[in-house]
């Protein structure tokens, strides 16, 4: 391969102060016309202006110095690989301000980036297209020529020329709407001037939508835009948004700076959502909730994504990263605080325990691999950004911020956040700037501690043993890098500064001791701890490390799991550490399964969910051996008592978590072929299909997966029919994700072919193929072959965006042999990382 050309940022000779932008999209021919009138400042005399520009044709360009004659550009030189254009002028542009005018045309593409078209069906069944945007990281340049770098901020005056029966939205409120002189069917919609902001946060939408609205306590107009006829499905998100804005205003002690905020559901959307300032775009499944047909986990997902995107309105939009190197901070922070916000709105979700299962343990799994990377990766060319939008930036980022928040304490943390936001208001900042503000507020060595977590990959395993000395316990701690492949054997000895908290059976919920471990070994004395009292590290599973206890310390913790005196989040962390130590070959699997038996009385959904994932991984590894059947029996033994206790139907007084637990347990038992569950699932499915008794949304996934796993071609056809009839994207996705459970080879092929059909939205193809890969051993091989055979089409469809890399990850997870691994390496050379929500 030829060496990469060095990447250069745009020259600083000329910079924008304000963009006056008028766009006229054609929803039939999929093109758009644009006029840009930008107020710019020439800082150094020059005879050329270099801007970003991609897939745009410039028709004319001119520059008029303030109070002087207009000069026409004599050449447009496009550097396509660099996505730049150089406008050349016949004479030198002198220092000072002036107006840059550019007329241009572009296309409304179908690649879900830039200014693109999104297909939707009207209530009467017609197919139409909306024009929508997705600019992060570097696609504003596909909609208009601009200085498309996060640190080159300006204000925007946007107007859109659109058919008069369409809704037109942008970042700001509408200030004028008048007939368009050349065509009576069009109107020109003008929006108020934006604050100083980055190009990647600009947005516009033209289409047909209904909305629901309210005002938040602090007077901000909040609207949720939905497909026509589905306004009612916007109410849940509206309620969350209206509660969330005042929560953040209060938390940061900085008001929301715009007069309005719109949340809108877009049919074709690559990410989960995007935090455009004042106009947040979402996948339908991340925003719409139907009281009758949405399950509990969808509600929770919507609440989290709304919390995440609204946090960015401050952290990201008001203060923006200086360059993409600091993207992890933007995302990690929003991925942490979304939980704080949901915990405020819905305390009954027990959402912090779920954080540990969804983000913390997931990040630890990835970060223990030899091919992990530090949270902070130095980015040159922005095309590298897709590679770093991955679970390390989001989930490890969020986990170390949670650890940092705990280490500093809430009050000083908020003080530091306010310092940071007010100091860099409408400006740009780097990671170090936040550390400095938090250090100032707390007086603790934040930068020194955090650099050990963000600038090197991996995390420590802390080995601990205890010795009783009269009434005290003496603990000896040793830290070493934790590796998924076994005990660390590297030459160098990476070290972390680890905030350690320790509790005892005296009070399992508060720390008896807190200490910063800043060396490889540490000896601590716990005063007044009797021989029969247990000791546990990492209270609340907040520290980003794994713990290996000496056998007798572990033994003493087992009763505390059984009698539930150890809090759920600690029970979860304990078993997760054990499973992962066993997978790394550091302790024996038998030891883990022994501890598992202590979980017989476990009532907590999240603990079960994590246990179940760990058994699943074990089961996948054993699917290559003779023990596979035995583990299925073990699964039935573990899950049947709780399955019988819960039953199929909600009982009075049950809540959100009971619904999640029931779905999890029934799905597990059904997949493992537990007779009573399988028979009941088949009976209820038949009633559902015949319209006798519709399955509640929370039971659909477990029932679908059960009947497919033990089903035939008739079952698959019925599922595909349900898919076609589903009016809600959530139901379509729910079916798409479980189709891979089918086990006959020819039906697996049918599902894979379906993944690329018109029936499946392009952004959802990935989850169908991923579902096949995760469904069975045959499925894994078939999915991998399918991706290879259809590589061209898949690659063109996603143009190297993060969906393609997510696809690779989903199809190769679970391979346990070297030949497959070698093959995957080759394929992996073609693509980058993967992501959830922007």
């Amino acid at each position: 391969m030829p060496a990469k050309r060095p990447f250069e940022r745009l020259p600083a000779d000329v910079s924008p102060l304000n963009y006056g932008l008028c766009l006229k999209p054609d929803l039939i021919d999929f093109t758009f016309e644009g006029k840009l009138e930008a107020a710019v400042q020439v800082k150094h005399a020059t005879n050329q202006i270099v801007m970003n520009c991609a897939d745009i044709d410039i028709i004319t360009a001119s520059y008029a110095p303030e109070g002087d004659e207009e000069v026409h550009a004599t050449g447009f030189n496009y550097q396509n690989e660099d996505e730049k254009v150089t406008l050349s002028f016949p004479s030198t542009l002198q220092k000072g301000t002036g107006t840059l005018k550019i007329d241009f045309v572009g296309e409304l593409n179908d690649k879900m980036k830039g200014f693109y078209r999104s297909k939707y069906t009207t209530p009467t069944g017609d197919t139409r297209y909306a024009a929508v945007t997705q600019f992060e990281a570097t696609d504003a340049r596909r909609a208009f020529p601009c200085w498309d770098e996060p640190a080159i901020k300006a204000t925007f005056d946007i107007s859109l020329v659109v058919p008069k029966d369409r809704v037109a939205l942008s970042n700001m409120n509408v200030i004028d709407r008048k007939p368009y002189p050349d065509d009576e069917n069009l109107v020109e919609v003008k929006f108020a001037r934006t604050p100083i902001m980055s190009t990647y946060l600009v947005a516009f939408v033209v289409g047909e939508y209904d909305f629901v609205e309210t005002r938040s306590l602090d007077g901000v107009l909040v609207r949720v835009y939905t497909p026509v006829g589905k306004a009612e499905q916007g109410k849940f998100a509206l309620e969350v948004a209206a509660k969330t804005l005042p929560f953040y205003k209060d938390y940061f002690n900085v008001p929301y700076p715009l007069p309005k905020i719109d949340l809108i559901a877009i049919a074709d959307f690559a990410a989960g959502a995007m935090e455009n300032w004042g106009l947040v775009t979402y996948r339908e499944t991340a925003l719409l909730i139907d009281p009758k047909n949405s399950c509990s986990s969808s509600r929770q997902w919507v609440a989290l994504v709304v919390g995440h995107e609204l946090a960015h309105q401050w952290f990201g939009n008001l203060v923006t990263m200086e360059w993409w190197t600091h993207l992890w901070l933007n995302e990690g922070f929003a991925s942490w605080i979304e939980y704080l916000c949901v915990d405020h709105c819905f305390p009954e979700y027990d959402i912090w325990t779920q954080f540990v299962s969804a983000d913390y343990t997931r990040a630890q799994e990835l970060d223990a691999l030899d091919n992990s990377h530090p949270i902070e990766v130095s980015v040159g060319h922005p095309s590298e950004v897709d590679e770093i939008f991955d679970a390390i930036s989001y989930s490890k980022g969020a986990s170390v911020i949670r650890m940092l928040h705990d280490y500093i304490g809430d009050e000083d943390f908020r003080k530091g956040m306010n310092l940071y936001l007010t100091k860099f208001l409408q400006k740009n900042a780097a990671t170090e700037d936040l550390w400095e503000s938090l250090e100032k507020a707390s007086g603790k060595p934040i930068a020194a501690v955090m650099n050990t977590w963000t600038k090197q990959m991996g995390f420590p395993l802390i080995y601990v043993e205890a010795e009783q000395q009269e009434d005290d316990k003496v603990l000896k701690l040793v830290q070493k890098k934790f590796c998924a492949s076994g005990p660390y054997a590297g030459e160098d000895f990476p070290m972390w500064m680890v905030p350690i908290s320790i509790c005892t059976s005296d009070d399992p919920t508060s720390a008896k001791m807190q200490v910063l471990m800043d060396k490889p070994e540490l000896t601590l004395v716990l005063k007044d701890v009797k021989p029969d009292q247990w000791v546990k590290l990492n209270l609340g599973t907040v520290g980003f490390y794994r713990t290996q206890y000496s056998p007798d310390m572990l033994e003493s913790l087992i009763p505390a799991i059984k009698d539930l005196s150890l809090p759920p989040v600690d029970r979860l962390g304990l078993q997760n550490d054990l499973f992962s130590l066993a997978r790394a070959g550091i302790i024996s699997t038998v030891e883990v399964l022994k501890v598992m038996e202590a979980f017989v009385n476990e009532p907590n959904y999240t603990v079960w969910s994590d246990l179940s994932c760990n058994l699943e991984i074990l089961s996948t590894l054993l699917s290559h051996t003779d023990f596979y059947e035995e583990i299925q029996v073990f699964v039935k033994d573990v899950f049947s008592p709780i399955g019988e206790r819960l039953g199929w139907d909600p009982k009075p007084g049950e809540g959100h978590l009971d619904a999640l637990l029931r779905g999890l347990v029934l799905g597990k038992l059904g997949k493992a072929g537990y007779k009573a569950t399988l028979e009941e699932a088949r009976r209820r499915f038949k009633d559902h299909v015949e319209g006798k008794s519709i399955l509640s949304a929370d039971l659909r996934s477990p029932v679908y997966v059960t009947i497919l796993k033990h089903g035939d071609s008739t079952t698959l056809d019925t599922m595909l029919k349900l898919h076609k009839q589903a009016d809600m994207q959530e139901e379509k996705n729910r079916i798409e994700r479980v189709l891979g459970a089918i086990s006959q080879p020819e039906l697996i092929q049918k599902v894979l072919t379906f993944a690329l059909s018109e029936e499946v939205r392009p952004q959802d193809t990935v989850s169908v193929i991923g579902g096949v890969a995760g469904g069975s051993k045959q499925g894994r091989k078939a999915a991998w072959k399918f991706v290879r055979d259809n590589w061209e089409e898949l690659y063109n469809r996603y143009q190297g965006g993060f969906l393609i890399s997510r696809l690779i990850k989903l199809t190769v997870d679970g391979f346990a042999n070297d030949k497959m691994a070698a093959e995957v390496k080759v394929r992996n050379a073609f693509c980058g990382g993967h992501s959830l929500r922007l």
Side-chain angles (χ1 to χ4, degrees), residues 530-542:
K530 308 281 177 293
D532 60 344
Q533 287 183 303
W534 53 256
V535 170
K536 183 181 179 297
L537 262 62
N538 204 1
L539 177 70
T541 318
V542 172

Side-chain angles (χ1 to χ4, degrees), residues 214-222 237-258 261 263 306-307 310-311 313-314 337 340-341 344-345 414:
T214 186
R215 271 193 195 277
S216 71
L217 282 173
D218 38 4
V220 180
L221 179 65
V222 187
L238 184 70
E239 201 182 305
V240 177
K243 269 191 188 164
T244 297
L245 286 172
F247 172 73
Y248 286 143
K249 176 193 166 192
D250 206 39
Y251 195 85
F252 298 128
N253 201 8
V254 173
Y256 173 73
L258 309 186
I261 188 158
L263 291 72
V306 169
L310 295 193
Q313 307 301 305
W314 283 262
I337 204 165
L340 199 69
C341 155
H344 164 78
C345 296
R414 288 170 69 163

Side-chain angles (χ1 to χ4, degrees), residues 409-624:
D410 191 60
E411 196 180 324
D412 286 348
F413 186 85
R414 288 170 69 163
K415 224 185 297 174
M417 289 306 307
N418 176 267
L419 270 175
Y420 170 79
L421 287 172
T422 44
K423 181 175 178 184
F424 295 100
L425 215 58
Q426 299 198 341
K427 300 194 187 77
N428 296 76
T431 304
E432 291 64 42
D433 296 315
L434 178 61
W435 297 165
E436 196 183 315
S437 297
L438 290 170
E439 203 151 301
K440 213 177 221 157
S442 70
K444 291 181 172 172
I446 305 304
V449 171
M450 291 309 284
N451 287 342
T452 67
W453 298 97
T454 64
K455 294 192 186 295
Q456 59 181 351
M457 66 180 226
F459 59 90
L461 167 64
I462 292 183
Y463 178 77
V464 53
E465 47 189 331
E467 191 190 324
Q468 192 73 31
Q469 291 186 357
E470 286 162 13
D471 284 346
D472 306 337
K473 264 197 185 13
V474 179
L475 302 187
K476 191 175 165 215
L477 279 56
V478 180
Q479 65 159 306
K480 266 201 185 123
K481 182 177 182 339
F482 176 72
C483 294
S485 50
Y488 180 66
E491 298 296 297
D492 55 335
F493 285 98
M495 264 269 312
W496 285 266
M497 290 177 78
V498 194
I500 302 265
S501 60
I502 301 169
C503 66
T504 69
S505 40
D506 225 18
D507 183 357
T509 56
S510 71
K512 184 165 173 83
M513 182 184 259
Q514 283 173 305
V515 54
L516 187 66
M517 180 172 186
D518 53 5
K519 41 183 186 280
E521 301 196 4
L522 191 62
T523 302
L524 303 169
V525 179
L526 288 182
K527 293 266 174 218
D528 300 322
V529 180
K530 308 281 177 293
D532 60 344
Q533 287 183 303
W534 53 256
V535 170
K536 183 181 179 297
L537 262 62
N538 204 1
L539 177 70
T541 318
V542 172
F544 199 75
Y545 57 89
R546 293 206 181 275
T547 310
Q548 183 187 358
Y549 293 97
S550 65
D552 52 335
M553 281 184 85
L554 180 62
E555 193 69 31
S556 70
L557 284 164
I558 291 181
I561 299 174
K562 238 187 192 128
D563 68 14
L564 309 179
S565 56
L566 204 57
V569 69
D570 292 282
R571 302 197 293 270
L572 192 158
L574 195 63
Q575 64 84 27
N576 197 285
D577 281 352
L578 287 169
F579 264 104
S580 120
L581 288 165
R583 284 203 296 275
I586 295 171
I587 61 175
S588 86
T589 309
V590 178
E591 267 180 82
V592 188
L593 295 179
K594 204 165 71 192
V595 177
M596 287 272 314
E597 288 167 358
F599 284 86
V600 286
N601 308 319
E602 184 55 60
N604 184 284
Y605 158 69
T606 315
V607 178
W608 271 112
S609 159
D610 202 69
L611 262 171
S612 131
C613 285
N614 284 315
L615 281 172
E616 189 72 33
I617 293 167
L618 199 59
S619 158
T620 302
L621 291 172
L622 292 175
S623 67
H624 305 275

Side-chain angles (χ1 to χ4, degrees), residues 33-34 285 654 717 733:
E33 294 167 30
T285 48
E654 277 189 357
D717 289 343
N733 284 167

